[in-house]
Amino acid sequence: MNGRFDAELRERLERLSAAVPDLDARGDTVPIASRPGRPTWRVAGASQISAPLVLVTVVMLVGVGLLGVRGLGGPTTPAGSHGAVSATTTDGRFSLTIRAERDRYQPTDEIRIDASLVYTGPDPEITIFHGHGSPLGFGIVEPVHGLELTPGWLLSCERSIVKRDVPISRPFGKSGGFGASDPQVEEKRRFLQDPILRLPAGTWHVYAVAEFSLGDCGGEQNSLRAELTLEVDDQAAVATSTTPPTAHPTASSPPTRPPADVALAYPDGCAAYGLSERQCAFIVELAMQDAGVPENEIARIELLGDPDCVDPGGGLCNTSLGSTFLVRVRLITDGGASSEHTRRCMLGSGYPCTDDPGLAVSSPTGPNGGYWDTPCNPGPAPAGCATPMPPIDPDAAANAVALEIADLDIAIDHVGDYRIELGTATLPNGQLSEASVRSVSSEGWVVVDRFLRLTVTSEDPSRPPFETAYQHGWYPGTERVSVVLEFTVLQADPGAVLSLAGILVR
Amino acid sequence: MPSSPEDIDRARSELDAAFRANRDWLVRRLALVCGDAEEARDLVQETFVRAAERWPLPDPSTPERWLATVALRLAIDERRRRHRWGFLELQPRDATWALSVDPDLWRALARLDRRTRAAIVLTTLDGYTQDEVAALFDVPRGTVASWISRGRDRLRRGLEVTP
């Protein structure tokens, strides 16, 4: 049966793979940074367009944090009434609710919507990882003025701690995209920039989504969606419309950046581009590397905006085909020569793009490791699926000793490898049930290569490694293990300290 | 690093050939792994940038292995992925091409993490062994076996195929 499944899976994957569209549409080339002394490659016959700026897409995120969370709560009322309406989707330990003050509006009415995410699981709190600002986003199924409103986040990975039964909320914010050559570009831009949601007459399906992962940015993905149906009608009998369309705080304009062609001096101009001192210095350093010009030959450094931005007003106009514009650095040498270096965040952009060093710990029992997966092979037992692990012997459990370290501070005094012996633990019947670190943070900037690795090794050299519970297998009595923390520091501020809390191996 | 004009011409020619031979294949595979054809194209573009910077590759006879390794690591590496959060995984609006071909499989794949998708795609479609996938991701073979075992179970359930 496995063979039949494999064959079917292969056939279907091949069909799917073959359907990937439009492979040549963007005229991808093999570009190379203009590093001195290196050849410049370009695939013969390929387009001279420098990817990825064929189509400019504008993503506007407005309204977030400006409208404030309004009192849209109260008992759920079925859609169709003129009172508050809501819809809730529950998936395991999380519930997503979208609410509106009512379900019928006039075209001039402000439509107030918010969404909230609630954790209802067994722990007092849980850490989730999500895009910029919030795990919550909004969209409208039907195009509005020809514009598709879909959830969008600025590129980053942020973490939030969600306490059990305490909702995190977000008011409706518009996000969507349109092409630079769109004939309705002005109308669409105005609509996106207006923080107030008003809709033309019609039936609208407004939805909220919650997108986040557990364990880490690339951990277990969670996605919830909840949708409301709203009616907008010129003749709607509106029960509670009281807000004049123009009543809104003046602080509603979207974030702005300097005009693209206005040069700001470094480092004073960094803040205008939303860059921290560290990010800005890193970006300038990269620009100097790209230019191949030593720092002592540079007379002036200037910061400029995105020359490809389609928003002449300098709004938040920084996203094009998956990359986010950060800043353009102009280096002017003592001899008067100048070069420009645009820094965008896309994949592999690394630390110019964030001030979060993304410290994380990997361990044998960490997320996605599959430590407790039951191995299955084709055919019946014993070659087939393994039987469940036997229960732990009570005597072994009584004699087991966990390794617990409440807090650990590590002075980072060099760049390179670190190996810290944390101690020992004894495991009942050799069964590792947890190897974890509750939190890791740093005082000062510390960049670690991938992860801090919490390794567990048996003191009996004949024992298999702790890769999966089944591979490690059963051990009579208790098995003594040593616990080591290993990591490689790539970059660190002088005097930086790594702080770990809640180390537990049992 | 090529130095003479002849070396540069030869390297350029080899890179051109590698691009032509592997680019579409990589985009197709990565689209299944990352769930978005556009992102797949970006990843492959980035991969070839890196290839060009390092050309000639350590083993010039099998550039596809090096390219697949770099491309998949780019797609999966946690530290890098966190910069791409604005683009959600496997949204139906990004994948009409897939939903029109095999919506059930697409949705079942969407429920797997990227590494599991990569392991299943490489072993099922391209004949990679579990050891090769393990080397590619720098993890033990047992871990890959677990990914594949768990992933296949979830796919099977998602596709409602009786084992």
Side-chain angles (χ1 to χ4, degrees), chain A residues 2 6 10 12 14 17 21 23 26 28-29 41 44 153 155-157 216-218 347 351 354 358 368 450 467, chain B residues 12 19-20 23 27-29 38 41-42 45-46 52 77-79 82-83 85-86 102 115 124-125 140 152 156:
Chain A
N2 269 313
D6 286 345
R10 185 179 307 113
R12 293 173 72 170
E14 276 173 354
S17 183
L23 285 171
R26 281 175 41 196
D28 285 352
T29 62
W41 312 106
W153 287 265
L155 305 182
S156 67
C157 177
D216 197 353
C217 292
L347 47 104
Y351 297 106
T354 177
N368 297 324
R450 293 173 64 85
E467 290 176 356
Chain B
R12 188 174 287 159
F19 184 87
R20 293 174 195 285
R23 188 261 182 186
V27 171
R28 289 198 171 96
R29 293 300 182 267
E38 196 64 51
R41 283 192 281 266
D42 286 343
Q45 180 78 342
E46 175 77 5
D77 185 282
E78 313 289 351
R79 197 176 67 193
R82 63 191 58 188
H83 302 301
W85 268 83
D102 196 336
R115 289 183 304 188
T124 305
L125 284 186
R152 283 166 46 88
R156 198 194 304 268

Short mmCIF file of all heavy atoms in Angstrom, two decimals, chain A residues 2 6 10 12 14 17 21 23 26 28-29 41 44 153 155-157 216-218 347 351 354 358 368 450 467, chain B residues 12 19-20 23 27-29 38 41-42 45-46 52 77-79 82-83 85-86 102 115 124-125 140 152 156:
data_model
loop_
_atom_site.label_atom_id
_atom_site.label_comp_id
_atom_site.label_asym_id
_atom_site.label_seq_id
_atom_site.Cartn_x
_atom_site.Cartn_y
_atom_site.Cartn_z
N ASN A 2 2.02 1.12 0.70
CA ASN A 2 2.92 2.25 0.68
C ASN A 2 3.39 2.54 -0.73
O ASN A 2 3.54 3.69 -1.11
CB ASN A 2 4.13 1.98 1.58
CG ASN A 2 3.89 2.47 2.99
OD1 ASN A 2 3.44 3.59 3.18
ND2 ASN A 2 4.16 1.61 3.94
N ASP A 6 3.09 5.95 -2.58
CA ASP A 6 4.29 6.63 -3.09
C ASP A 6 4.14 6.98 -4.56
O ASP A 6 4.49 8.08 -4.99
CB ASP A 6 5.52 5.73 -2.92
CG ASP A 6 5.97 5.66 -1.47
OD1 ASP A 6 5.52 6.52 -0.69
OD2 ASP A 6 6.73 4.74 -1.12
N ARG A 10 4.07 10.68 -5.99
CA ARG A 10 5.07 11.14 -6.95
C ARG A 10 4.39 11.76 -8.17
O ARG A 10 4.75 12.84 -8.62
CB ARG A 10 5.96 9.98 -7.38
CG ARG A 10 7.10 10.40 -8.30
CD ARG A 10 7.99 9.24 -8.69
NE ARG A 10 8.47 8.50 -7.54
CZ ARG A 10 8.12 7.25 -7.24
NH1 ARG A 10 7.29 6.59 -8.03
NH2 ARG A 10 8.61 6.66 -6.18
N ARG A 12 1.41 13.04 -8.42
CA ARG A 12 0.71 14.29 -8.13
C ARG A 12 1.70 15.43 -7.87
O ARG A 12 1.47 16.57 -8.26
CB ARG A 12 -0.23 14.09 -6.94
CG ARG A 12 -1.38 13.15 -7.29
CD ARG A 12 -2.23 12.79 -6.10
NE ARG A 12 -3.08 13.89 -5.65
CZ ARG A 12 -4.05 13.74 -4.75
NH1 ARG A 12 -4.30 12.54 -4.23
NH2 ARG A 12 -4.78 14.78 -4.37
N GLU A 14 4.63 15.65 -9.22
CA GLU A 14 5.18 16.02 -10.53
C GLU A 14 4.22 16.95 -11.26
O GLU A 14 4.64 17.93 -11.88
CB GLU A 14 5.45 14.76 -11.35
CG GLU A 14 6.80 14.12 -11.01
CD GLU A 14 7.01 12.77 -11.69
OE1 GLU A 14 6.06 12.28 -12.34
OE2 GLU A 14 8.11 12.21 -11.54
N SER A 17 4.40 20.30 -9.59
CA SER A 17 5.67 20.96 -9.88
C SER A 17 5.69 21.50 -11.31
O SER A 17 6.19 22.60 -11.57
CB SER A 17 6.81 19.96 -9.67
OG SER A 17 8.05 20.56 -9.87
N PRO A 21 3.94 28.48 -12.51
CA PRO A 21 3.68 29.30 -13.69
C PRO A 21 4.85 30.16 -14.13
O PRO A 21 5.72 30.49 -13.33
CB PRO A 21 2.53 30.19 -13.21
CG PRO A 21 2.77 30.33 -11.75
CD PRO A 21 3.38 29.04 -11.29
N LEU A 23 7.69 30.67 -15.73
CA LEU A 23 9.04 30.61 -15.21
C LEU A 23 9.96 31.68 -15.78
O LEU A 23 10.92 32.08 -15.15
CB LEU A 23 9.64 29.23 -15.49
CG LEU A 23 9.12 28.11 -14.60
CD1 LEU A 23 9.61 26.77 -15.10
CD2 LEU A 23 9.55 28.33 -13.17
N ARG A 26 10.04 36.98 -15.51
CA ARG A 26 10.77 38.12 -14.97
C ARG A 26 12.16 38.28 -15.56
O ARG A 26 12.90 39.17 -15.15
CB ARG A 26 10.85 38.01 -13.45
CG ARG A 26 9.58 38.43 -12.80
CD ARG A 26 9.63 38.20 -11.33
NE ARG A 26 10.92 38.56 -10.77
CZ ARG A 26 11.34 38.17 -9.59
NH1 ARG A 26 10.58 37.42 -8.85
NH2 ARG A 26 12.51 38.52 -9.14
N ASP A 28 14.90 36.69 -15.15
CA ASP A 28 15.92 36.67 -14.10
C ASP A 28 17.31 36.61 -14.71
O ASP A 28 17.55 35.97 -15.72
CB ASP A 28 15.74 35.44 -13.20
CG ASP A 28 14.57 35.63 -12.27
OD1 ASP A 28 14.02 36.75 -12.25
OD2 ASP A 28 14.22 34.66 -11.59
N THR A 29 18.20 37.27 -14.07
CA THR A 29 19.57 37.25 -14.52
C THR A 29 20.45 36.73 -13.40
O THR A 29 19.99 36.45 -12.32
CB THR A 29 20.03 38.67 -14.87
OG1 THR A 29 19.95 39.46 -13.68
CG2 THR A 29 19.16 39.27 -15.95
N TRP A 41 28.90 38.94 -13.96
CA TRP A 41 28.25 37.90 -14.72
C TRP A 41 26.92 38.38 -15.21
O TRP A 41 26.22 39.10 -14.54
CB TRP A 41 27.99 36.67 -13.84
CG TRP A 41 29.14 36.21 -13.04
CD1 TRP A 41 29.32 36.36 -11.71
CD2 TRP A 41 30.29 35.53 -13.51
NE1 TRP A 41 30.49 35.82 -11.31
CE2 TRP A 41 31.12 35.29 -12.40
CE3 TRP A 41 30.72 35.09 -14.77
CZ2 TRP A 41 32.33 34.63 -12.50
CZ3 TRP A 41 31.92 34.44 -14.86
CH2 TRP A 41 32.70 34.21 -13.74
N ALA A 44 23.80 35.32 -20.81
CA ALA A 44 23.64 35.78 -22.17
C ALA A 44 22.19 35.65 -22.60
O ALA A 44 21.55 34.64 -22.37
CB ALA A 44 24.53 34.97 -23.10
N TRP A 153 1.89 42.30 6.28
CA TRP A 153 2.74 42.70 7.40
C TRP A 153 4.05 43.21 6.85
O TRP A 153 4.54 42.69 5.83
CB TRP A 153 3.05 41.51 8.31
CG TRP A 153 1.92 41.05 9.16
CD1 TRP A 153 1.68 41.41 10.46
CD2 TRP A 153 0.89 40.13 8.81
NE1 TRP A 153 0.55 40.77 10.91
CE2 TRP A 153 0.05 39.98 9.94
CE3 TRP A 153 0.58 39.44 7.65
CZ2 TRP A 153 -1.07 39.17 9.94
CZ3 TRP A 153 -0.53 38.62 7.64
CH2 TRP A 153 -1.35 38.49 8.78
N LEU A 155 8.02 43.34 6.83
CA LEU A 155 8.88 42.19 6.98
C LEU A 155 9.65 42.22 8.30
O LEU A 155 10.51 43.05 8.49
CB LEU A 155 9.89 42.14 5.83
CG LEU A 155 9.28 42.15 4.45
CD1 LEU A 155 10.36 42.06 3.41
CD2 LEU A 155 8.29 41.05 4.29
N SER A 156 9.30 41.36 9.17
CA SER A 156 10.06 41.19 10.40
C SER A 156 9.50 39.97 11.10
O SER A 156 8.52 39.39 10.66
CB SER A 156 9.95 42.41 11.31
OG SER A 156 8.63 42.54 11.79
N CYS A 157 10.14 39.57 12.14
CA CYS A 157 9.56 38.53 12.97
C CYS A 157 9.58 39.04 14.39
O CYS A 157 10.64 39.35 14.93
CB CYS A 157 10.35 37.24 12.87
SG CYS A 157 9.69 35.98 13.97
N ASP A 216 9.26 29.22 17.37
CA ASP A 216 10.22 30.10 16.73
C ASP A 216 9.54 30.66 15.50
O ASP A 216 8.42 30.27 15.16
CB ASP A 216 11.49 29.32 16.36
CG ASP A 216 12.66 30.26 16.07
OD1 ASP A 216 12.43 31.48 16.03
OD2 ASP A 216 13.78 29.77 15.90
N CYS A 217 10.25 31.54 14.82
CA CYS A 217 9.65 32.14 13.63
C CYS A 217 9.32 31.08 12.58
O CYS A 217 8.39 31.23 11.82
CB CYS A 217 10.60 33.17 13.04
SG CYS A 217 10.76 34.58 14.12
N GLY A 218 10.11 30.06 12.53
CA GLY A 218 9.83 29.02 11.56
C GLY A 218 9.18 27.81 12.19
O GLY A 218 9.18 26.73 11.62
N LEU A 347 15.23 37.96 1.21
CA LEU A 347 15.75 36.79 1.87
C LEU A 347 17.25 36.94 2.04
O LEU A 347 17.93 37.57 1.25
CB LEU A 347 15.45 35.57 1.01
CG LEU A 347 15.80 35.76 -0.46
CD1 LEU A 347 17.07 35.04 -0.77
CD2 LEU A 347 14.65 35.34 -1.29
N TYR A 351 21.22 40.88 9.28
CA TYR A 351 21.12 41.84 10.36
C TYR A 351 21.03 43.31 9.97
O TYR A 351 20.75 44.12 10.83
CB TYR A 351 22.26 41.58 11.35
CG TYR A 351 22.08 40.21 11.92
CD1 TYR A 351 22.88 39.15 11.54
CD2 TYR A 351 21.03 39.96 12.78
CE1 TYR A 351 22.66 37.88 12.03
CE2 TYR A 351 20.80 38.69 13.27
CZ TYR A 351 21.63 37.66 12.89
OH TYR A 351 21.39 36.41 13.35
N THR A 354 17.08 44.05 10.86
CA THR A 354 16.37 43.91 12.11
C THR A 354 17.29 44.22 13.27
O THR A 354 18.51 44.07 13.16
CB THR A 354 15.82 42.48 12.27
OG1 THR A 354 15.21 42.38 13.56
CG2 THR A 354 16.91 41.44 12.15
N GLY A 358 17.49 37.54 17.12
CA GLY A 358 16.86 36.25 16.91
C GLY A 358 17.51 35.13 17.67
O GLY A 358 17.68 34.03 17.15
N ASN A 368 9.79 20.80 16.12
CA ASN A 368 10.12 20.31 14.77
C ASN A 368 11.21 19.25 14.76
O ASN A 368 11.63 18.82 13.70
CB ASN A 368 10.54 21.46 13.84
CG ASN A 368 9.42 22.44 13.65
OD1 ASN A 368 8.26 22.04 13.59
ND2 ASN A 368 9.75 23.70 13.57
N ARG A 450 23.01 30.67 13.82
CA ARG A 450 21.83 29.82 13.87
C ARG A 450 21.26 29.72 15.29
O ARG A 450 20.37 30.47 15.62
CB ARG A 450 22.12 28.42 13.32
CG ARG A 450 22.42 28.45 11.82
CD ARG A 450 22.85 27.11 11.32
NE ARG A 450 21.80 26.12 11.45
CZ ARG A 450 20.84 25.92 10.58
NH1 ARG A 450 20.78 26.65 9.50
NH2 ARG A 450 19.94 24.98 10.77
N GLU A 467 18.94 11.57 19.60
CA GLU A 467 18.37 12.14 18.38
C GLU A 467 16.88 11.89 18.32
O GLU A 467 16.10 12.79 18.02
CB GLU A 467 19.07 11.57 17.15
CG GLU A 467 20.50 12.08 17.03
CD GLU A 467 21.24 11.46 15.88
OE1 GLU A 467 20.67 10.57 15.22
OE2 GLU A 467 22.39 11.84 15.66
N ARG B 12 32.20 32.11 -16.91
CA ARG B 12 30.94 32.71 -17.32
C ARG B 12 30.11 31.70 -18.11
O ARG B 12 28.91 31.55 -17.91
CB ARG B 12 31.25 33.95 -18.16
CG ARG B 12 30.06 34.80 -18.49
CD ARG B 12 30.50 36.05 -19.20
NE ARG B 12 31.14 37.00 -18.30
CZ ARG B 12 31.96 37.98 -18.69
NH1 ARG B 12 32.27 38.09 -19.96
NH2 ARG B 12 32.47 38.82 -17.82
N PHE B 19 22.97 27.80 -15.02
CA PHE B 19 21.73 28.56 -14.88
C PHE B 19 20.65 27.96 -15.78
O PHE B 19 19.53 27.69 -15.35
CB PHE B 19 22.00 30.02 -15.24
CG PHE B 19 20.81 30.93 -15.05
CD1 PHE B 19 20.55 31.52 -13.82
CD2 PHE B 19 19.96 31.21 -16.11
CE1 PHE B 19 19.48 32.36 -13.64
CE2 PHE B 19 18.88 32.05 -15.95
CZ PHE B 19 18.64 32.63 -14.71
N ARG B 20 21.02 27.75 -17.04
CA ARG B 20 20.04 27.23 -17.98
C ARG B 20 19.57 25.82 -17.59
O ARG B 20 18.40 25.47 -17.73
CB ARG B 20 20.63 27.17 -19.39
CG ARG B 20 20.91 28.52 -19.98
CD ARG B 20 21.64 28.38 -21.32
NE ARG B 20 22.22 29.62 -21.73
CZ ARG B 20 21.52 30.63 -22.23
NH1 ARG B 20 20.22 30.52 -22.39
NH2 ARG B 20 22.12 31.75 -22.58
N ARG B 23 17.90 26.28 -13.40
CA ARG B 23 17.07 27.34 -12.85
C ARG B 23 15.59 26.92 -12.76
O ARG B 23 14.96 27.03 -11.72
CB ARG B 23 17.25 28.61 -13.69
CG ARG B 23 16.59 29.83 -13.10
CD ARG B 23 15.25 30.08 -13.75
NE ARG B 23 14.63 31.28 -13.22
CZ ARG B 23 13.41 31.65 -13.54
NH1 ARG B 23 12.70 30.91 -14.37
NH2 ARG B 23 12.88 32.72 -13.01
N VAL B 27 13.28 26.32 -9.40
CA VAL B 27 12.08 27.12 -9.11
C VAL B 27 10.89 26.20 -8.86
O VAL B 27 10.11 26.40 -7.92
CB VAL B 27 11.78 28.09 -10.27
CG1 VAL B 27 10.41 28.75 -10.08
CG2 VAL B 27 12.86 29.16 -10.36
N ARG B 28 10.78 25.17 -9.68
CA ARG B 28 9.64 24.25 -9.52
C ARG B 28 9.69 23.56 -8.16
O ARG B 28 8.67 23.41 -7.49
CB ARG B 28 9.64 23.22 -10.64
CG ARG B 28 9.26 23.78 -11.99
CD ARG B 28 8.84 22.68 -12.96
NE ARG B 28 8.30 23.27 -14.16
CZ ARG B 28 9.00 23.49 -15.27
NH1 ARG B 28 10.26 23.14 -15.31
NH2 ARG B 28 8.43 24.05 -16.30
N ARG B 29 10.85 23.11 -7.78
CA ARG B 29 10.95 22.42 -6.48
C ARG B 29 10.72 23.38 -5.33
O ARG B 29 10.01 23.09 -4.38
CB ARG B 29 12.34 21.78 -6.34
CG ARG B 29 12.59 20.65 -7.30
CD ARG B 29 11.57 19.53 -7.10
NE ARG B 29 11.86 18.43 -7.99
CZ ARG B 29 11.32 18.27 -9.20
NH1 ARG B 29 10.42 19.13 -9.64
NH2 ARG B 29 11.65 17.23 -9.95
N GLU B 38 6.52 33.05 -6.64
CA GLU B 38 7.30 34.30 -6.68
C GLU B 38 8.49 34.21 -5.73
O GLU B 38 9.61 34.58 -6.06
CB GLU B 38 6.39 35.47 -6.29
CG GLU B 38 6.94 36.82 -6.65
CD GLU B 38 7.09 36.98 -8.16
OE1 GLU B 38 6.13 36.73 -8.90
OE2 GLU B 38 8.19 37.33 -8.58
N ARG B 41 11.15 32.03 -7.18
CA ARG B 41 12.00 32.71 -8.17
C ARG B 41 13.04 33.59 -7.47
O ARG B 41 14.20 33.64 -7.87
CB ARG B 41 11.14 33.53 -9.12
CG ARG B 41 10.44 32.70 -10.16
CD ARG B 41 9.84 33.58 -11.25
NE ARG B 41 8.59 34.17 -10.82
CZ ARG B 41 7.39 33.63 -11.06
NH1 ARG B 41 7.29 32.50 -11.72
NH2 ARG B 41 6.30 34.22 -10.64
N ASP B 42 12.60 34.29 -6.42
CA ASP B 42 13.56 35.12 -5.67
C ASP B 42 14.67 34.27 -5.06
O ASP B 42 15.85 34.64 -5.09
CB ASP B 42 12.84 35.88 -4.55
CG ASP B 42 12.00 37.03 -5.08
OD1 ASP B 42 12.22 37.43 -6.23
OD2 ASP B 42 11.12 37.51 -4.35
N GLN B 45 17.05 33.13 -7.69
CA GLN B 45 17.89 34.25 -8.11
C GLN B 45 19.01 34.48 -7.09
O GLN B 45 20.18 34.66 -7.45
CB GLN B 45 17.01 35.51 -8.25
CG GLN B 45 17.76 36.74 -8.69
CD GLN B 45 18.05 36.76 -10.19
OE1 GLN B 45 17.99 35.73 -10.84
NE2 GLN B 45 18.38 37.91 -10.71
N GLU B 46 18.64 34.48 -5.83
CA GLU B 46 19.63 34.67 -4.76
C GLU B 46 20.66 33.54 -4.78
O GLU B 46 21.86 33.75 -4.57
CB GLU B 46 18.92 34.73 -3.41
CG GLU B 46 19.83 34.79 -2.20
CD GLU B 46 20.42 36.18 -1.97
OE1 GLU B 46 20.04 37.10 -2.71
OE2 GLU B 46 21.26 36.33 -1.08
N ALA B 52 27.49 32.61 -8.30
CA ALA B 52 28.41 33.44 -9.09
C ALA B 52 29.55 33.98 -8.24
O ALA B 52 30.69 34.08 -8.70
CB ALA B 52 27.64 34.58 -9.74
N ASP B 77 16.18 28.26 6.30
CA ASP B 77 16.94 28.77 7.43
C ASP B 77 16.09 29.71 8.27
O ASP B 77 15.55 30.69 7.79
CB ASP B 77 18.16 29.52 6.91
CG ASP B 77 19.06 29.96 8.05
OD1 ASP B 77 18.75 30.95 8.71
OD2 ASP B 77 20.05 29.28 8.27
N GLU B 78 16.01 29.39 9.55
CA GLU B 78 15.09 30.13 10.42
C GLU B 78 15.46 31.61 10.50
O GLU B 78 14.60 32.47 10.46
CB GLU B 78 15.14 29.54 11.84
CG GLU B 78 15.06 28.05 11.92
CD GLU B 78 13.69 27.53 11.56
OE1 GLU B 78 12.76 28.34 11.41
OE2 GLU B 78 13.56 26.33 11.39
N ARG B 79 16.73 31.86 10.60
CA ARG B 79 17.14 33.24 10.82
C ARG B 79 16.80 34.11 9.62
O ARG B 79 16.46 35.26 9.74
CB ARG B 79 18.64 33.25 11.07
CG ARG B 79 19.14 34.53 11.72
CD ARG B 79 20.59 34.40 12.01
NE ARG B 79 21.39 34.34 10.82
CZ ARG B 79 22.67 33.98 10.80
NH1 ARG B 79 23.26 33.65 11.90
NH2 ARG B 79 23.33 33.95 9.68
N ARG B 82 12.75 34.70 9.00
CA ARG B 82 12.00 35.66 9.79
C ARG B 82 11.94 37.03 9.13
O ARG B 82 11.15 37.86 9.51
CB ARG B 82 12.57 35.76 11.19
CG ARG B 82 13.97 36.27 11.26
CD ARG B 82 14.52 36.07 12.64
NE ARG B 82 14.48 34.65 12.99
CZ ARG B 82 14.75 34.19 14.19
NH1 ARG B 82 15.03 34.99 15.16
NH2 ARG B 82 14.70 32.90 14.44
N HIS B 83 12.73 37.25 8.13
CA HIS B 83 12.66 38.52 7.42
C HIS B 83 11.61 38.50 6.32
O HIS B 83 11.41 39.47 5.65
CB HIS B 83 14.01 38.86 6.81
CG HIS B 83 15.09 38.93 7.84
ND1 HIS B 83 15.02 39.80 8.90
CD2 HIS B 83 16.21 38.21 8.00
CE1 HIS B 83 16.08 39.62 9.66
NE2 HIS B 83 16.81 38.66 9.15
N TRP B 85 8.37 37.63 6.74
CA TRP B 85 7.07 37.37 7.32
C TRP B 85 5.93 38.07 6.63
O TRP B 85 4.78 37.78 6.88
CB TRP B 85 7.10 37.73 8.80
CG TRP B 85 7.44 36.54 9.59
CD1 TRP B 85 8.68 36.05 9.84
CD2 TRP B 85 6.54 35.64 10.22
NE1 TRP B 85 8.61 34.92 10.59
CE2 TRP B 85 7.30 34.66 10.83
CE3 TRP B 85 5.15 35.59 10.32
CZ2 TRP B 85 6.73 33.61 11.55
CZ3 TRP B 85 4.59 34.56 11.04
CH2 TRP B 85 5.38 33.60 11.64
N GLY B 86 6.20 39.06 5.86
CA GLY B 86 5.11 39.74 5.18
C GLY B 86 4.44 38.86 4.16
O GLY B 86 3.38 39.19 3.66
N ASP B 102 -4.15 20.62 -8.27
CA ASP B 102 -4.38 19.60 -7.24
C ASP B 102 -4.59 20.28 -5.89
O ASP B 102 -3.67 20.34 -5.06
CB ASP B 102 -3.17 18.65 -7.18
CG ASP B 102 -3.50 17.37 -6.42
OD1 ASP B 102 -4.44 17.40 -5.60
OD2 ASP B 102 -2.82 16.35 -6.66
N ARG B 115 10.75 22.17 6.01
CA ARG B 115 11.78 21.13 5.93
C ARG B 115 11.17 19.79 5.55
O ARG B 115 11.75 19.03 4.78
CB ARG B 115 12.50 21.03 7.27
CG ARG B 115 13.39 22.22 7.54
CD ARG B 115 14.14 22.05 8.82
NE ARG B 115 13.24 21.82 9.94
CZ ARG B 115 13.64 21.80 11.20
NH1 ARG B 115 14.90 21.97 11.48
NH2 ARG B 115 12.78 21.61 12.18
N THR B 124 10.99 12.04 -2.97
CA THR B 124 9.96 11.47 -3.83
C THR B 124 10.20 11.79 -5.30
O THR B 124 10.06 10.93 -6.17
CB THR B 124 8.57 12.00 -3.41
OG1 THR B 124 8.37 11.74 -2.03
CG2 THR B 124 7.47 11.34 -4.22
N LEU B 125 10.56 13.04 -5.57
CA LEU B 125 10.66 13.45 -6.98
C LEU B 125 12.07 13.32 -7.54
O LEU B 125 12.24 13.09 -8.73
CB LEU B 125 10.22 14.91 -7.13
CG LEU B 125 8.72 15.18 -7.08
CD1 LEU B 125 8.46 16.65 -7.40
CD2 LEU B 125 7.97 14.30 -8.06
N PRO B 140 20.85 14.85 11.68
CA PRO B 140 21.01 13.40 11.63
C PRO B 140 19.99 12.74 10.69
O PRO B 140 18.87 13.26 10.50
CB PRO B 140 20.75 12.95 13.07
CG PRO B 140 20.90 14.17 13.90
CD PRO B 140 20.51 15.32 13.03
N ARG B 152 4.60 12.09 5.66
CA ARG B 152 3.81 11.17 4.83
C ARG B 152 2.50 10.83 5.51
O ARG B 152 1.46 10.74 4.86
CB ARG B 152 4.61 9.90 4.54
CG ARG B 152 5.69 10.09 3.48
CD ARG B 152 6.66 8.90 3.48
NE ARG B 152 5.95 7.64 3.53
CZ ARG B 152 5.52 6.98 2.46
NH1 ARG B 152 5.76 7.48 1.27
NH2 ARG B 152 4.89 5.85 2.58
N ARG B 156 -0.98 11.63 3.94
CA ARG B 156 -1.92 10.53 3.71
C ARG B 156 -3.29 10.88 4.31
O ARG B 156 -4.32 10.70 3.68
CB ARG B 156 -1.37 9.24 4.33
CG ARG B 156 -2.02 7.97 3.80
CD ARG B 156 -1.69 6.79 4.67
NE ARG B 156 -0.26 6.57 4.83
CZ ARG B 156 0.46 5.77 4.05
NH1 ARG B 156 -0.12 5.15 3.05
NH2 ARG B 156 1.73 5.59 4.28
#
